[in-house]
Amino acid sequence: MGLKIMSLNVKGLNCPPKRSYMWKEAVTSHVDILCIQESHLLQVDASKIRHRLFPHVLHSHFSKKKRGVLIAIKNSIAYSPISTLVDPNGRYIILVCLINNITYTLVNLYAPNSHQLAFMHKLMRKVNSCKQGKVVLCGDFNSVLQPSLDSTSPTRKSETGMASFLHSEGLIDVWRAQHSSERDYTFFSPPHLSYSRIDLFLTDHVSLLHTLSTEIGLIKWSDHAPITLVLDEQFQSCRAPIWRNNTFLLNNPKYSTELLTHLKEYFHFNDGSVTDTFVLWQAHKASMRGSLIKLGHMVKKLRSKDIAQTLETIASLESINKASPTPQCSADLRSARNKLSGLLSQSYHHSLLRLKATYYSQGNKAGRLLARQLKTQQAKSKIPFLIHPTTKSRLLDPPEFTLKQKASKIYTKDLLKSTPSPSLPSSQQATASAHCLLTEAMSLRQGPGTSSSARSPTQAQRRLASSLPTDETRTSPVLPSYPSTRSPVKKRPWLQEEDMTKVGLGPEHHHLADKLQGLTTSYQLASGNLMKDMLVMFSSALHEDISSLLTPLQSSISAIKSRVSHPELNMGKFAPSHNQLIDSHDEMAADIDIIKVKLIDMANSSRNNIKFRGVPEDIIPSALAPYLQALLKQLLPSCSAMYFTIDRTHRIPRPCRLPETTPRDTLACMHFTI
């Protein structure tokens, strides 16, 4: 069993029927690896390309609905990726992987409409840097290798240098190596009424020896024909799928009547044949299954026959149109392709109806379908980031701006706006501050998991509460005076050392005792007007300091702005020249590579050239290569045709000493050294 690879330019996959045609083409052709060009899909539409038989799909997207390539790998082969290089412009995918324990380097490319040689130079440099094992290149090259054989256009008769470059890289056109003198094409241009072979499979010499066949299909629902390559690989395929009933047979009155007649005949002839009715009921299922399989096979056979006849019509019209294109023949070819699209779209409509029935029957049940839909909605409802209210920057995962905390802040802010804040009278603020400070001291004593509200008030708390001014004594408080220097805590009559020990405070927490000591003194001295004056003085001093610091900073920023503005203006003038210089550099690099290839070709001309003497003069130059290939096949019948591939041929001038009737010698440049 061989490894089958298909390459096809689909010209857009945004239409659901075209995606159905693509998968139908891959399944019916028994393709193992599917390479698609011009998918025209955006990155958000990548999930549309999925199939149960092709679980591994690699994409290369472009920013617009153009270009795009993809590689789909079937589940019947053992696939393990090693490395992947994806072009961000949607031009190529380089995949290094293990397929059935054999290392491959698969390249799927879509070349531009111009400067194809420069594109191939850049691509091959990347391929050579990461290639491993066997190398296979496929895709739409938008260029022909031999215009005299690969195109019917009269304007494409000059060499582009692509064949020489591929020869220098050690790559071989597999289809041309196996069909040396045949003419077949993969693309038809309606405006020019011309055919060309621009979809290619290129391999190295090792993969060429393991190639079984290469075929070009018919142009069906796309403007390109599929091309397939079969490599000699031995592996075990998956088992056949389980049979399922074709429910669309029951919707057809003809087939439903036949099934009803069969059911009645079964019970008419078998009723009473067995004593157990359960056996009769189970046997009727097997009988009806046989009838359904027979009808399904008959319907499939009739549909396949119509598709085969339509394909034969398309093939005959294409052969006529390739030989001599006419508008009438092109119109007949379009009508035949439209008929084929109608036949192929039946399976798409059946799949759509089956999907609708699944959603109708399983949409409101707790099952896999509902779980998948909820999983998608959950992924869409996730908040990936928050916007900072002041800097307007994205906060990806900040702990201080979680959604719960933000909602809490908004709720608290609205609540504070709607509810007036309670304020304590100035006579009770000192008492509240003392209680808060004592709570802070108690928290230092508590271990993890304890609560201050669960503890009973200690003797220190009771003494502190009794020492605070009450409502009767707050009008004219008489406060004791303490020395300004720090003294041991035991000398303070209202907070003794044993009280601090009970609270859980040590010598390192004397600052809390100092705060408690100066609390009533600050209450006596700091009135409302005095605090207001102090804040005004502090604000004015802070404003003056900030202004003095900002003045030199603003001057420095202005100087930097004046120095930077001039280079920014000049950068706009230098940018076109810089881009033009880069383009000229790339063109010169491509020209240098072409010159190198020609120099290598000239150096190897003596080793790759064969001189033929006696070739008749009546053979035209375009027929020299087929004539010499047929001659070599007669001389070496045991060799394969791939060894007789000729790059170019030309006549050598006749020496003066020979008569005019003597044929000129013919020089042929072989494709590779045997």
Side-chain angles (χ1 to χ4, degrees):
M1 186 174 181
L3 179 67
K4 194 170 186 179
I5 307 174
M6 175 183 285
S7 175
L8 176 60
N9 186 318
V10 296
K11 199 179 180 180
L13 288 176
N14 289 287
C15 182
K18 294 190 73 173
R19 296 197 290 270
S20 176
Y21 300 160
M22 180 191 69
W23 294 124
K24 190 72 174 179
E25 182 87 17
V27 172
T28 55
S29 302
H30 304 286
V31 174
D32 298 311
I33 300 176
L34 180 63
C35 299
I36 298 297
Q37 301 88 40
E38 278 200 273
S39 60
H40 295 181
L41 293 174
L42 299 176
Q43 188 173 4
V44 296
D45 301 329
S47 59
K48 297 179 180 178
I49 306 300
R50 57 184 179 183
H51 194 273
R52 59 183 180 86
L53 298 181
F54 293 84
H56 310 288
V57 182
L58 289 83
H59 298 266
S60 175
H61 308 281
F62 190 52
S63 58
K64 300 179 181 179
K65 287 189 177 182
K66 57 191 297 188
R67 307 179 189 175
V69 295
L70 64 90
I71 298 177
I73 301 175
K74 201 173 184 180
N75 58 0
S76 60
I77 61 177
Y79 163 74
S80 177
I82 298 176
S83 63
T84 306
L85 181 59
V86 178
D87 180 33
N89 296 322
R91 287 292 184 186
Y92 59 82
I93 296 177
I94 303 175
L95 173 63
V96 182
C97 60
L98 284 173
I99 298 179
N100 303 322
N101 296 325
I102 299 177
T103 306
Y104 282 90
T105 300
L106 302 178
V107 183
N108 183 18
L109 63 96
Y110 172 59
N113 294 327
S114 60
H115 303 92
Q116 296 90 348
L117 190 57
F119 169 77
M120 289 301 300
H121 277 82
K122 296 179 182 178
L123 176 61
M124 289 309 300
R125 283 196 291 268
K126 297 182 179 180
V127 172
N128 294 330
S129 64
C130 63
K131 68 178 181 180
Q132 299 180 28
K134 300 179 181 179
V135 181
V136 178
L137 279 80
C138 64
D140 185 359
F141 287 75
N142 272 319
S143 176
V144 295
L145 301 184
Q146 298 182 14
S148 59
L149 293 177
D150 298 334
S151 177
T152 60
S153 175
T155 58
R156 283 188 174 181
K157 297 302 179 183
S158 59
E159 295 286 345
T160 59
M162 183 70 73
S164 301
F165 170 72
L166 297 177
H167 172 62
S168 65
E169 293 288 341
L171 298 176
I172 304 169
D173 182 7
V174 185
W175 190 89
R176 180 55 64 193
Q178 295 182 348
H179 309 81
S180 56
S181 59
E182 295 184 14
R183 288 175 175 267
D184 204 350
Y185 312 101
T186 62
F187 174 69
F188 174 70
S189 177
H192 303 91
L193 294 178
S194 63
Y195 284 88
S196 58
R197 190 173 68 89
I198 58 178
D199 300 274
L200 308 174
F201 265 107
L202 305 177
T203 62
D204 54 357
H205 294 81
V206 178
S207 302
L208 183 65
L209 298 176
H210 295 85
T211 302
L212 297 179
S213 63
T214 310
E215 301 294 337
I216 296 177
L218 298 176
I219 302 176
K220 303 175 185 177
W221 48 273
S222 177
D223 57 347
H224 287 250
I227 178 171
T228 57
L229 171 69
V230 181
L231 299 175
D232 187 12
E233 300 291 348
Q234 300 295 330
F235 61 93
Q236 297 292 332
S237 61
C238 296
R239 61 183 178 85
I242 301 175
W243 175 83
R244 292 183 179 179
N245 182 24
N246 187 3
T247 57
F248 296 98
L249 296 176
L250 304 177
N251 297 330
N252 193 324
K254 176 182 176 182
Y255 302 136
S256 61
T257 303
E258 185 175 350
L259 290 173
L260 183 60
T261 303
H262 176 78
L263 184 62
K264 291 179 179 179
E265 290 178 354
Y266 171 81
F267 283 105
H268 175 72
F269 291 107
N270 295 285
D271 190 13
S273 59
V274 291
T275 57
D276 193 355
T277 57
F278 179 75
V279 176
L280 181 65
W281 178 257
Q282 294 295 330
H284 110 277
K285 295 180 182 179
S287 178
M288 293 302 297
R289 177 178 176 179
S291 299
L292 288 169
I293 292 175
K294 181 185 70 174
L295 287 176
H297 181 70
M298 183 183 66
V299 172
K300 184 178 180 180
K301 189 175 181 180
L302 292 175
R303 181 170 171 271
S304 301
K305 183 179 179 181
D306 293 340
I307 293 176
Q309 291 178 355
T310 308
L311 290 176
E312 290 179 0
T313 305
I314 292 174
S316 60
L317 291 174
E318 268 197 351
S319 61
I320 297 173
N321 202 31
K322 289 176 182 178
S324 57
T326 58
Q328 181 62 32
C329 187
S330 300
D332 296 341
L333 194 58
R334 283 195 298 271
S335 62
R337 287 172 181 164
N338 292 335
K339 181 181 178 181
L340 179 64
S341 298
L343 293 173
L344 294 176
S345 62
Q346 292 180 3
S347 60
Y348 165 72
H349 292 298
H350 290 173
S351 301
L352 187 62
L353 291 175
R354 193 178 296 111
L355 181 63
K356 289 183 177 180
T358 302
Y359 270 86
Y360 177 77
S361 60
Q362 302 292 332
N364 58 347
K365 297 180 181 179
R368 185 177 299 175
L369 180 63
L370 183 60
R372 288 177 179 176
Q373 296 296 324
L374 293 177
K375 185 177 180 181
T376 306
Q377 292 182 4
Q378 184 179 4
K380 291 181 179 179
S381 61
K382 180 182 178 181
I383 300 177
F385 57 87
L386 296 176
I387 302 296
H388 197 278
T390 57
T391 60
K392 303 302 181 182
S393 60
R394 292 186 178 183
L395 302 175
L396 300 179
D397 191 15
E400 68 274 9
F401 278 96
T402 58
L403 186 60
K404 182 178 179 181
Q405 293 177 355
K406 187 174 182 181
S408 177
K409 290 180 181 180
I410 294 173
Y411 175 76
T412 306
K413 185 177 179 182
D414 294 341
L415 184 62
L416 291 177
K417 285 182 178 178
S418 59
T419 305
S421 302
S423 59
L424 291 174
S426 59
S427 60
Q428 299 179 8
Q429 291 180 3
T431 305
S433 301
H435 281 288
C436 293
L437 193 57
L438 184 60
T439 304
E440 180 184 356
M442 289 297 298
S443 64
L444 297 175
R445 184 190 176 195
Q446 297 172 8
T450 59
S451 176
S452 61
S453 61
R455 296 181 179 271
S456 59
T458 61
Q459 186 179 1
Q461 290 176 327
R462 290 193 293 269
R463 288 185 181 180
L464 181 60
S466 61
S467 65
L468 292 174
T470 59
D471 293 337
E472 293 81 4
T473 61
R474 189 170 292 116
T475 55
S476 58
V478 179
L479 300 176
S481 60
Y482 298 99
S484 59
T485 58
R486 178 177 292 276
S487 59
V489 180
K490 62 183 180 179
K491 293 182 180 180
R492 293 170 181 166
W494 57 286
L495 189 59
Q496 301 298 330
E497 185 175 1
E498 61 271 17
D499 297 331
M500 292 190 65
T501 305
K502 291 180 181 180
V503 175
L505 302 178
E508 65 274 9
H509 302 114
H510 286 171
H511 64 283
L512 293 176
D514 294 338
K515 291 182 180 179
L516 289 171
Q517 176 186 354
L519 182 62
T520 55
T521 305
S522 61
Y523 165 72
Q524 180 183 8
L525 298 177
S527 60
N529 295 331
L530 181 60
M531 292 296 295
K532 182 177 180 182
D533 296 339
M534 291 174 62
L535 290 175
V536 170
M537 292 174 61
F538 176 74
S539 176
S540 60
L542 185 62
H543 180 72
E544 292 177 359
D545 293 340
I546 293 175
S547 301
S548 62
L549 293 175
L550 286 179
T551 301
L553 185 61
Q554 290 177 354
S555 60
S556 301
I557 293 174
S558 301
I560 294 173
K561 182 178 179 182
S562 61
R563 289 196 298 268
V564 172
S565 60
H566 184 66
E568 289 180 350
L569 294 175
N570 291 334
M571 284 296 295
K573 300 178 182 178
F574 296 152
S577 302
H578 178 71
N579 296 335
Q580 186 177 3
L581 181 61
I582 293 176
D583 296 338
S584 302
H585 178 268
D586 294 340
E587 293 177 0
M588 291 179 65
D591 295 339
I592 290 172
D593 292 337
I594 295 173
I595 293 173
K596 288 181 181 179
V597 171
K598 292 183 178 179
L599 290 175
I600 295 172
D601 193 13
M602 293 175 62
N604 297 332
S605 60
S606 60
R607 288 177 284 180
N608 296 339
N609 290 347
I610 299 179
K611 186 185 293 185
F612 294 88
R613 181 164 293 172
V615 179
E617 285 286 344
D618 56 351
I619 298 176
I620 60 177
S622 60
L624 283 175
Y627 177 81
L628 296 178
Q629 288 174 350
L631 181 62
L632 291 174
K633 289 180 182 178
Q634 293 179 1
L635 295 175
L636 302 171
S638 60
C639 295
S640 176
M642 67 181 66
Y643 295 106
F644 304 140
T645 304
I646 299 175
D647 286 341
R648 55 186 177 275
T649 58
H650 66 276
R651 296 276 188 176
I652 300 176
R654 185 187 300 107
C656 299
R657 56 184 177 82
L658 295 179
E660 294 291 335
T661 57
T662 303
R664 291 175 295 173
D665 293 344
T666 303
L667 191 65
C669 180
M670 307 305 294
H671 189 68
F672 58 90
T673 305
I674 300 177

